[in-house]
Amino acid sequence: MWQKLGMSAISGTVAHVFYLILAYVLDKFMNSKTSNIIALLASAILNFTLQYFVFMRNFVFMSNILIKYVISEVLIIGSVQLGVSFLLTNKKTYKRRFPASLQKYYNTLVRMFVTIIVSLLLSFPTRNYWVFVWNRLVQCENAWKFII
């Protein structure tokens, strides 16, 4: 489990850095909330590919996993968007709490904070214990056949 947690964290970090960079660039061209949801959706596609490899160890397509992943990703993206939108809407209230040198990075720091919290509380547990659990069941079934 610890190896999967580490690999999942690395994969999630890659997708998260992609999300932060894309959102930062898109902020220059559109509303911050709109750029946030676009970046979240794009990073979700990247994250699915990476997480699938971490938990499944191969790229055999399984529709039941894709359906579960989409459901979990809607919950995860919804949670991140809700948290980020709340903090962006209340920017004047919370931005004052940052040191002056970091206030210009408020949007990015808020995105990092919310995504880290959601990753720890929702993303990893959902993927490990619900979405990609099938692989472990197949491994157990194959081991059982070998014993018999």
Side-chain angles (χ1 to χ4, degrees), residues 102-135:
L102 295 178
Q103 287 185 2
K104 67 180 180 178
Y105 303 111
Y106 177 82
N107 290 2
T108 301
L109 293 171
V110 160
R111 289 176 177 132
M112 289 171 66
F113 172 74
V114 171
T115 306
I116 288 169
I117 297 300
V118 171
S119 294
L120 291 173
L121 298 178
L122 187 60
S123 298
F124 179 77
T126 303
R127 290 181 185 130
N128 192 43
Y129 298 110
W130 184 56
V131 176
F132 296 109
V133 73
W134 187 87
N135 188 43

Side-chain angles (χ1 to χ4, degrees), residues 9 16 22 25 44 47 56 122 140:
H16 183 67
L22 184 58
V25 170
N47 200 21
M56 299 304 292
L122 187 60
C140 291

Side-chain angles (χ1 to χ4, degrees), residues 31-43:
N31 177 293
S32 295
K33 292 177 188 175
T34 305
S35 67
N36 192 67
I37 194 68
I38 291 170
L40 279 171
L41 293 172
S43 71

